[in-house]
Amino acid sequence: MVTRGTTTATAGTTRTAEERARRVAADVPDPELPMLTIDDLGILREVHVDGSGHVDVDITPTYSGCPALEAIRADVLTRLDEHGMPDATVHVVLSPPWTTDRISADGIEKLRRHGIAPPGPAGGAHGDGRAPVPLALTVRCPRCGSPDTRELARFGSTACKALWVCGDCAEPFDHLKAL
Amino acid sequence: MSGDTTSERSGWRSAAEPSVERVRSGARPGDVSGLVEYTLRLGDDALILSQRLGEWITRAPQLEEDVALANIALDLLGQARSLLTYAGEAEGAGRDEDALAYWRDERDFRNVLLVERPNGDFAETMARQLWFTSYQYELYDRLRASADPTLAAVAAKAVKEVAYHRDHAAQWVLRLGDGTDESRRRMQGGLAAVAPYVDELFDPDGVTGGLGAVAVDPAALREPSERHVDGVLDRAGLERPPEPAHVARGGRRGLHTEVMGYLLAEMQHLHRSHEGASW
C-alpha cells in the first residue's frame, strides 16, 4: 500500500512538472514568425519529465532544411533554464511529418493579423503522396480581404512562404504555403 | 497515444543528439554496410545538387528565381543533413554529417553524375531539375513505406517538398519550351545535354537488391519518372531528345567526372581550413 501511495504521488508530481515544462516550451516564439509560438505552429510535439526532473522536448521542423530549428532548440533550452529546469534535452523528430494543418486556429488568426495569408487545408493533398502540389484557389489579401490576388513567386522569403500580390490594394504579401 | 509516441520517437534526431540506441535496437533486414551505402547515395544526391543549385544565387534570370533555387537548395541540404547524420550513426564509426560532407574525398561520394553536372545555362539546369525531381519524387513516395523507420520518416517529410520542386521545374520547362524560338532552342539543348546522365538514376545493383524492403528498386522508378517527364515535354511542345550516343555512369561507385573535384574543393575547403567554422 505504501509503495503504491508513493508511486501515485510521484506520478502526480511528474505530471505537474510536465505541464509546467510544456507551458514554458509552448511559449517560445518562432524566430521567423515571432508573432506565433512554436506551439501555435505545431512545431512543439511531446514534452516529458522523468522521475529525476530531466525534461525531454520533441520538436519537428517545418521544412527539412529550416534554419530556424537550431534557434528554436537553443530558445527552448534557455527558457526552461530560466524557469528552473536546466536539465533538458531537445530532440528533433521527423515523423509524422509536419503539415500546415498543425497550425492552431489561434495561429491562423495571428498570421492574418500580421499580414500573412494563412494556408488553405493541406489535408489529403499529399495524403496518398500522389496528389500534385496543393493549389491555393482562394487566397484572400490579408490587408483588404479581397479575393482578387495572384501568385508572384511560389518560393518566397522563407522556405514556408510564397509571394503574392493583391489586385485591389496592390500590396504584395506573404502566403504560407499549404504543406 | 503510446503508439503515436513510439512512431514519433523513431524519427530522425539531429547530429547533436545521436540516436545510437535506435540503430542498435532496430530490427533491420540486410547488413549495415548496405544500409550505410544506400543512405550515402540518397544523402550525396541531395547534398551535391544543393551545392550546384546554390551556385545560381545572384545569377538567376530573375530575383524570384534566386530565391526559388536557394529555397530548393535549402530543402535538399536539410534532406542531406538528415540522411548523412543517419548514415554516420548506422556506420557506427563516429562520423557525423560534417565529417561525411567535408572530410570524404571524391572517390567516397556516391551521388549520380547527373547532379554534379555543371549548371550550364538556365534551361539546362531546368532540364536537370525536371529529370531529377521526377525521379526523386517517385523515389521518396515509395521510400515512405521503407522497412527502415528513419528512411521512411525522412522520405515522408521530403516528398512534400519535392512535390514543390518538381512543379517548379515543370513550370519553367513549359514556359521555355512554349516561349520564343530562342527559349525553345535552349530548352531542347538542355534536355539533350543531360540525356546521357539520366539512365544512371535507374540502375539497380547489389546494394539496392540486398536491402529488400529497406530500399526502393531504382529500376521501378524509370517508368513513372519518364511518364511525368514525357507529359511535361508534350505540353511544352518539346521533343524527347534522341537516345544519346553514350551513357555516363559510375557515380554510385565513386567514379566521378572531372567537375566533381572542383565542386568539392569549393564546398569543402572552408571547413578543412577552419574546422568547425560557423556563423
Side-chain angles (χ1 to χ4, degrees), chain B residues 221-233:
Chain B
L221 304 174
R222 180 187 286 275
E223 192 275 330
S225 305
E226 284 184 343
R227 183 150 30 89
H228 182 259
V229 168
D230 286 342
V232 174
L233 298 187

Side-chain angles (χ1 to χ4, degrees), chain A residues 63 98-101 103 117-123 125-126 132-136 139 154 159-162 175-179, chain B residues 160-161 164:
Chain A
Y63 282 73
W98 182 81
T99 157
T100 39
D101 292 345
I103 303 175
H126 295 285
V133 169
L135 283 179
V139 175
R154 188 161 293 163
C160 52
K161 292 186 218 134
H175 166 54
L176 209 72
K177 287 182 282 193
L179 185 80
Chain B
K160 303 201 289 177
E161 297 160 359
Y164 275 105

Side-chain angles (χ1 to χ4, degrees), chain A residues 45-46 48 56 58 60-67 69-70 73 89-99 102 126-134 152-159 163 177-179, chain B residues 1 4-5 7-17 64 67-69 71-72 74-75 77-79 81-82 137-138 141-142 144 150 153-154 156-161 163-168 171 224:
Chain A
R45 291 263 167 97
E46 305 283 323
H48 291 293
D56 282 298
D58 285 358
T60 193
T62 53
Y63 282 73
S64 296
C66 183
L69 207 64
E70 290 311 312
R73 178 204 295 277
T89 313
V90 176
H91 307 280
V92 175
V93 296
L94 290 188
S95 179
W98 182 81
T99 157
R102 302 275 303 224
H126 295 285
D128 59 1
R130 303 306 314 172
V133 169
L152 289 179
R154 188 161 293 163
F155 294 86
S157 55
T158 64
L163 185 62
K177 287 182 282 193
L179 185 80
Chain B
M1 274 310 285
D4 279 348
T5 307
S7 75
E8 290 198 17
R9 286 177 167 273
S10 70
W12 164 81
R13 293 181 181 197
S14 82
E17 204 49 49
E64 287 80 1
V67 175
L69 292 172
N71 267 310
I72 293 170
L74 183 63
D75 286 342
L77 187 62
Q79 295 162 21
R81 291 185 62 186
S82 298
Y137 181 85
E138 300 296 340
D141 182 39
R142 287 159 182 76
R144 294 187 303 161
T150 303
V154 173
K157 175 139 204 74
V159 71
K160 303 201 289 177
E161 297 160 359
Y164 275 105
H165 306 171
R166 190 177 73 152
D167 191 58
H168 170 264
Q171 297 305 322

Side-chain angles (χ1 to χ4, degrees), chain A residues 68-154:
Chain A
L69 207 64
E70 290 311 312
I72 292 171
R73 178 204 295 277
D75 289 349
V76 167
L77 292 174
T78 306
R79 290 288 178 111
L80 287 171
D81 189 33
E82 286 168 0
H83 286 79
M85 290 172 272
D87 184 19
T89 313
V90 176
H91 307 280
V92 175
V93 296
L94 290 188
S95 179
W98 182 81
T99 157
T100 39
D101 292 345
R102 302 275 303 224
I103 303 175
S104 66
D106 196 30
I108 294 280
E109 194 39 49
K110 284 185 198 166
L111 282 173
R112 206 187 328 262
R113 262 206 319 277
H114 286 85
I116 298 172
H126 295 285
D128 59 1
R130 303 306 314 172
V133 169
L135 283 179
L137 295 177
T138 52
V139 175
R140 284 185 177 270
C141 172
R143 292 177 193 279
C144 72
S146 166
D148 176 19
T149 59
R150 68 190 170 86
E151 183 182 81
L152 289 179
R154 188 161 293 163

